[in-house]
PDB file of all heavy atoms in Angstrom:
ATOM      1  N   GLU U 933     -90.531  37.381  39.925  1.00 98.00           N
ATOM      2  CA  GLU U 933     -89.306  38.126  40.251  1.00 98.00           C
ATOM      3  C   GLU U 933     -89.509  38.858  41.577  1.00 98.00           C
ATOM      4  O   GLU U 933     -90.622  39.298  41.879  1.00 98.00           O
ATOM      5  CB  GLU U 933     -89.019  39.177  39.173  1.00 98.00           C
ATOM      6  CG  GLU U 933     -88.504  38.631  37.859  1.00 98.00           C
ATOM      7  CD  GLU U 933     -87.054  38.154  37.915  1.00 98.00           C
ATOM      8  OE1 GLU U 933     -86.404  38.308  38.986  1.00 98.00           O
ATOM      9  OE2 GLU U 933     -86.589  37.614  36.897  1.00 98.00           O
ATOM     10  N   ILE U 934     -88.437  39.001  42.347  1.00 98.00           N
ATOM     11  CA  ILE U 934     -88.525  39.748  43.607  1.00 98.00           C
ATOM     12  C   ILE U 934     -87.712  41.033  43.434  1.00 98.00           C
ATOM     13  O   ILE U 934     -86.575  40.981  42.936  1.00 98.00           O
ATOM     14  CB  ILE U 934     -87.966  38.896  44.776  1.00 98.00           C
ATOM     15  CG1 ILE U 934     -88.824  37.618  44.911  1.00 98.00           C
ATOM     16  CG2 ILE U 934     -87.933  39.687  46.085  1.00 98.00           C
ATOM     17  CD1 ILE U 934     -88.344  36.641  45.959  1.00 98.00           C
ATOM     18  N   PRO U 935     -88.268  42.190  43.802  1.00 98.00           N
ATOM     19  CA  PRO U 935     -87.513  43.443  43.630  1.00 98.00           C
ATOM     20  C   PRO U 935     -86.207  43.445  44.438  1.00 98.00           C
ATOM     21  O   PRO U 935     -86.139  42.870  45.527  1.00 98.00           O
ATOM     22  CB  PRO U 935     -88.464  44.523  44.163  1.00 98.00           C
ATOM     23  CG  PRO U 935     -89.797  43.870  44.265  1.00 98.00           C
ATOM     24  CD  PRO U 935     -89.588  42.397  44.384  1.00 98.00           C
ATOM     25  N   MET U 936     -85.226  44.126  43.874  1.00 97.00           N
ATOM     26  CA  MET U 936     -83.879  44.170  44.474  1.00 97.00           C
ATOM     27  C   MET U 936     -83.898  44.596  45.944  1.00 97.00           C
ATOM     28  O   MET U 936     -83.250  43.969  46.789  1.00 97.00           O
ATOM     29  CB  MET U 936     -83.015  45.126  43.651  1.00 97.00           C
ATOM     30  CG  MET U 936     -81.665  45.379  44.195  1.00 97.00           C
ATOM     31  SD  MET U 936     -80.611  43.942  44.027  1.00 97.00           S
ATOM     32  CE  MET U 936     -80.193  44.088  42.301  1.00 97.00           C
ATOM     33  N   LYS U 937     -84.670  45.651  46.250  1.00 97.00           N
ATOM     34  CA  LYS U 937     -84.644  46.150  47.633  1.00 97.00           C
ATOM     35  C   LYS U 937     -85.159  45.111  48.609  1.00 97.00           C
ATOM     36  O   LYS U 937     -84.657  44.990  49.735  1.00 97.00           O
ATOM     37  CB  LYS U 937     -85.489  47.431  47.744  1.00 97.00           C
ATOM     38  CG  LYS U 937     -84.759  48.628  47.214  1.00 97.00           C
ATOM     39  CD  LYS U 937     -85.511  49.911  47.481  1.00 97.00           C
ATOM     40  CE  LYS U 937     -84.673  51.070  46.956  1.00 97.00           C
ATOM     41  NZ  LYS U 937     -85.408  52.314  46.901  1.00 97.00           N
ATOM     42  N   GLU U 938     -86.167  44.368  48.156  1.00 98.00           N
ATOM     43  CA  GLU U 938     -86.724  43.319  49.011  1.00 98.00           C
ATOM     44  C   GLU U 938     -85.693  42.208  49.264  1.00 98.00           C
ATOM     45  O   GLU U 938     -85.547  41.708  50.373  1.00 98.00           O
ATOM     46  CB  GLU U 938     -87.936  42.725  48.287  1.00 98.00           C
ATOM     47  CG  GLU U 938     -89.096  42.379  49.190  1.00 98.00           C
ATOM     48  CD  GLU U 938     -90.251  41.847  48.361  1.00 98.00           C
ATOM     49  OE1 GLU U 938     -90.896  42.654  47.673  1.00 98.00           O
ATOM     50  OE2 GLU U 938     -90.476  40.630  48.394  1.00 98.00           O
ATOM     51  N   LYS U 939     -84.950  41.881  48.204  1.00 98.00           N
ATOM     52  CA  LYS U 939     -83.925  40.840  48.348  1.00 98.00           C
ATOM     53  C   LYS U 939     -82.861  41.281  49.361  1.00 98.00           C
ATOM     54  O   LYS U 939     -82.454  40.518  50.234  1.00 98.00           O
ATOM     55  CB  LYS U 939     -83.233  40.576  47.008  1.00 98.00           C
ATOM     56  CG  LYS U 939     -84.072  39.868  45.982  1.00 98.00           C
ATOM     57  CD  LYS U 939     -83.209  39.579  44.740  1.00 98.00           C
ATOM     58  CE  LYS U 939     -84.052  39.191  43.553  1.00 98.00           C
ATOM     59  NZ  LYS U 939     -83.252  38.979  42.335  1.00 98.00           N
ATOM     60  N   ILE U 940     -82.437  42.533  49.238  1.00 98.00           N
ATOM     61  CA  ILE U 940     -81.364  43.020  50.116  1.00 98.00           C
ATOM     62  C   ILE U 940     -81.816  42.979  51.579  1.00 98.00           C
ATOM     63  O   ILE U 940     -81.075  42.551  52.466  1.00 98.00           O
ATOM     64  CB  ILE U 940     -80.903  44.430  49.667  1.00 98.00           C
ATOM     65  CG1 ILE U 940     -80.151  44.266  48.332  1.00 98.00           C
ATOM     66  CG2 ILE U 940     -80.030  45.110  50.717  1.00 98.00           C
ATOM     67  CD1 ILE U 940     -79.622  45.530  47.729  1.00 98.00           C
ATOM     68  N   LYS U 941     -83.056  43.381  51.812  1.00 98.00           N
ATOM     69  CA  LYS U 941     -83.597  43.348  53.174  1.00 98.00           C
ATOM     70  C   LYS U 941     -83.596  41.906  53.705  1.00 98.00           C
ATOM     71  O   LYS U 941     -83.151  41.629  54.819  1.00 98.00           O
ATOM     72  CB  LYS U 941     -85.028  43.905  53.143  1.00 98.00           C
ATOM     73  CG  LYS U 941     -85.740  43.938  54.467  1.00 98.00           C
ATOM     74  CD  LYS U 941     -87.035  44.759  54.316  1.00 98.00           C
ATOM     75  CE  LYS U 941     -87.778  44.884  55.630  1.00 98.00           C
ATOM     76  NZ  LYS U 941     -88.589  43.719  55.947  1.00 98.00           N
ATOM     77  N   LYS U 942     -84.044  41.018  52.846  1.00 98.00           N
ATOM     78  CA  LYS U 942     -84.122  39.604  53.250  1.00 98.00           C
ATOM     79  C   LYS U 942     -82.718  39.024  53.510  1.00 98.00           C
ATOM     80  O   LYS U 942     -82.506  38.290  54.480  1.00 98.00           O
ATOM     81  CB  LYS U 942     -84.849  38.818  52.149  1.00 98.00           C
ATOM     82  CG  LYS U 942     -84.978  37.339  52.391  1.00 98.00           C
ATOM     83  CD  LYS U 942     -86.045  37.002  53.410  1.00 98.00           C
ATOM     84  CE  LYS U 942     -86.170  35.489  53.543  1.00 98.00           C
ATOM     85  NZ  LYS U 942     -87.065  35.067  54.597  1.00 98.00           N
ATOM     86  N   PHE U 943     -81.752  39.375  52.650  1.00 98.00           N
ATOM     87  CA  PHE U 943     -80.379  38.873  52.848  1.00 98.00           C
ATOM     88  C   PHE U 943     -79.846  39.327  54.210  1.00 98.00           C
ATOM     89  O   PHE U 943     -79.171  38.571  54.904  1.00 98.00           O
ATOM     90  CB  PHE U 943     -79.443  39.371  51.736  1.00 98.00           C
ATOM     91  CG  PHE U 943     -79.729  38.818  50.361  1.00 98.00           C
ATOM     92  CD1 PHE U 943     -79.409  39.545  49.222  1.00 98.00           C
ATOM     93  CD2 PHE U 943     -80.314  37.564  50.197  1.00 98.00           C
ATOM     94  CE1 PHE U 943     -79.662  39.040  47.955  1.00 98.00           C
ATOM     95  CE2 PHE U 943     -80.571  37.049  48.929  1.00 98.00           C
ATOM     96  CZ  PHE U 943     -80.245  37.798  47.808  1.00 98.00           C
ATOM     97  N   ALA U 944     -80.163  40.576  54.562  1.00 98.00           N
ATOM     98  CA  ALA U 944     -79.702  41.088  55.859  1.00 98.00           C
ATOM     99  C   ALA U 944     -80.362  40.280  56.987  1.00 98.00           C
ATOM    100  O   ALA U 944     -79.682  39.854  57.934  1.00 98.00           O
ATOM    101  CB  ALA U 944     -80.030  42.572  55.993  1.00 98.00           C
ATOM    102  N   GLU U 945     -81.646  40.046  56.873  1.00 98.00           N
ATOM    103  CA  GLU U 945     -82.355  39.279  57.906  1.00 98.00           C
ATOM    104  C   GLU U 945     -81.805  37.855  58.031  1.00 98.00           C
ATOM    105  O   GLU U 945     -81.778  37.279  59.110  1.00 98.00           O
ATOM    106  CB  GLU U 945     -83.852  39.180  57.546  1.00 98.00           C
ATOM    107  CG  GLU U 945     -84.631  40.446  57.826  1.00 98.00           C
ATOM    108  CD  GLU U 945     -85.996  40.434  57.137  1.00 98.00           C
ATOM    109  OE1 GLU U 945     -86.424  39.389  56.616  1.00 98.00           O
ATOM    110  OE2 GLU U 945     -86.627  41.504  57.118  1.00 98.00           O
ATOM    111  N   MET U 946     -81.364  37.308  56.884  1.00 98.00           N
ATOM    112  CA  MET U 946     -80.834  35.938  56.911  1.00 98.00           C
ATOM    113  C   MET U 946     -79.434  35.864  57.516  1.00 98.00           C
ATOM    114  O   MET U 946     -78.892  34.786  57.702  1.00 98.00           O
ATOM    115  CB  MET U 946     -80.789  35.373  55.486  1.00 98.00           C
ATOM    116  CG  MET U 946     -82.152  35.127  54.883  1.00 98.00           C
ATOM    117  SD  MET U 946     -82.031  34.607  53.149  1.00 98.00           S
ATOM    118  CE  MET U 946     -81.527  32.899  53.365  1.00 98.00           C
ATOM    119  N   GLY U 947     -78.822  37.009  57.749  1.00 98.00           N
ATOM    120  CA  GLY U 947     -77.507  37.015  58.395  1.00 98.00           C
ATOM    121  C   GLY U 947     -76.333  37.127  57.447  1.00 98.00           C
ATOM    122  O   GLY U 947     -75.182  36.933  57.853  1.00 98.00           O
ATOM    123  N   PHE U 948     -76.593  37.428  56.169  1.00 98.00           N
ATOM    124  CA  PHE U 948     -75.453  37.625  55.267  1.00 98.00           C
ATOM    125  C   PHE U 948     -74.672  38.865  55.676  1.00 98.00           C
ATOM    126  O   PHE U 948     -75.232  39.823  56.206  1.00 98.00           O
ATOM    127  CB  PHE U 948     -75.939  37.770  53.811  1.00 98.00           C
ATOM    128  CG  PHE U 948     -76.257  36.448  53.175  1.00 98.00           C
ATOM    129  CD1 PHE U 948     -77.567  36.012  53.062  1.00 98.00           C
ATOM    130  CD2 PHE U 948     -75.242  35.630  52.715  1.00 98.00           C
ATOM    131  CE1 PHE U 948     -77.864  34.777  52.499  1.00 98.00           C
ATOM    132  CE2 PHE U 948     -75.520  34.396  52.145  1.00 98.00           C
ATOM    133  CZ  PHE U 948     -76.843  33.975  52.044  1.00 98.00           C
ATOM    134  N   ASP U 949     -73.360  38.827  55.405  1.00 98.00           N
ATOM    135  CA  ASP U 949     -72.490  39.952  55.763  1.00 98.00           C
ATOM    136  C   ASP U 949     -72.267  40.890  54.597  1.00 98.00           C
ATOM    137  O   ASP U 949     -71.961  42.065  54.786  1.00 98.00           O
ATOM    138  CB  ASP U 949     -71.115  39.426  56.220  1.00 98.00           C
ATOM    139  CG  ASP U 949     -71.266  38.479  57.391  1.00 98.00           C
ATOM    140  OD1 ASP U 949     -71.473  38.965  58.502  1.00 98.00           O
ATOM    141  OD2 ASP U 949     -71.229  37.246  57.181  1.00 98.00           O
ATOM    142  N   ALA U 950     -72.372  40.348  53.386  1.00 98.00           N
ATOM    143  CA  ALA U 950     -72.054  41.178  52.214  1.00 98.00           C
ATOM    144  C   ALA U 950     -72.868  40.734  51.011  1.00 98.00           C
ATOM    145  O   ALA U 950     -73.349  39.603  50.948  1.00 98.00           O
ATOM    146  CB  ALA U 950     -70.568  41.084  51.889  1.00 98.00           C
ATOM    147  N   ILE U 951     -72.981  41.666  50.060  1.00 98.00           N
ATOM    148  CA  ILE U 951     -73.695  41.389  48.812  1.00 98.00           C
ATOM    149  C   ILE U 951     -72.705  41.496  47.650  1.00 98.00           C
ATOM    150  O   ILE U 951     -71.819  42.348  47.654  1.00 98.00           O
ATOM    151  CB  ILE U 951     -74.838  42.418  48.571  1.00 98.00           C
ATOM    152  CG1 ILE U 951     -75.712  42.583  49.832  1.00 98.00           C
ATOM    153  CG2 ILE U 951     -75.687  42.031  47.373  1.00 98.00           C
ATOM    154  CD1 ILE U 951     -76.578  41.421  50.172  1.00 98.00           C
ATOM    155  N   GLN U 952     -72.876  40.604  46.681  1.00 98.00           N
ATOM    156  CA  GLN U 952     -72.092  40.654  45.445  1.00 98.00           C
ATOM    157  C   GLN U 952     -72.979  41.310  44.385  1.00 98.00           C
ATOM    158  O   GLN U 952     -74.154  40.975  44.276  1.00 98.00           O
ATOM    159  CB  GLN U 952     -71.755  39.235  44.970  1.00 98.00           C
ATOM    160  CG  GLN U 952     -71.282  38.278  46.053  1.00 98.00           C
ATOM    161  CD  GLN U 952     -71.391  36.805  45.610  1.00 98.00           C
ATOM    162  OE1 GLN U 952     -71.593  36.493  44.455  1.00 98.00           O
ATOM    163  NE2 GLN U 952     -71.251  35.904  46.575  1.00 98.00           N
ATOM    164  N   PHE U 953     -72.406  42.216  43.608  1.00 98.00           N
ATOM    165  CA  PHE U 953     -73.218  42.928  42.608  1.00 98.00           C
ATOM    166  C   PHE U 953     -72.651  42.812  41.207  1.00 98.00           C
ATOM    167  O   PHE U 953     -71.434  42.913  41.009  1.00 98.00           O
ATOM    168  CB  PHE U 953     -73.268  44.434  42.931  1.00 98.00           C
ATOM    169  CG  PHE U 953     -74.072  44.769  44.151  1.00 98.00           C
ATOM    170  CD1 PHE U 953     -73.439  45.053  45.357  1.00 98.00           C
ATOM    171  CD2 PHE U 953     -75.464  44.805  44.104  1.00 98.00           C
ATOM    172  CE1 PHE U 953     -74.177  45.367  46.493  1.00 98.00           C
ATOM    173  CE2 PHE U 953     -76.205  45.115  45.231  1.00 98.00           C
ATOM    174  CZ  PHE U 953     -75.563  45.392  46.429  1.00 98.00           C
ATOM    175  N   HIS U 954     -73.533  42.658  40.228  1.00 98.00           N
ATOM    176  CA  HIS U 954     -73.168  42.997  38.854  1.00 98.00           C
ATOM    177  C   HIS U 954     -73.295  44.514  38.747  1.00 98.00           C
ATOM    178  O   HIS U 954     -74.038  45.138  39.519  1.00 98.00           O
ATOM    179  CB  HIS U 954     -74.121  42.344  37.855  1.00 98.00           C
ATOM    180  CG  HIS U 954     -73.980  40.862  37.768  1.00 98.00           C
ATOM    181  ND1 HIS U 954     -74.937  40.000  38.207  1.00 98.00           N
ATOM    182  CD2 HIS U 954     -72.969  40.087  37.299  1.00 98.00           C
ATOM    183  CE1 HIS U 954     -74.537  38.750  38.013  1.00 98.00           C
ATOM    184  NE2 HIS U 954     -73.346  38.782  37.467  1.00 98.00           N
TER     185      HIS U 954
END
Side-chain angles (χ1 to χ4, degrees):
E933 286 287 357
I934 298 176
M936 175 71 78
K937 282 187 178 168
E938 218 178 287
K939 289 184 194 177
I940 290 180
K941 180 169 182 279
K942 178 76 177 174
F943 293 152
E945 283 165 11
M946 292 175 77
F948 280 101
D949 302 283
I951 311 289
Q952 316 162 13
F953 290 102
H954 290 111

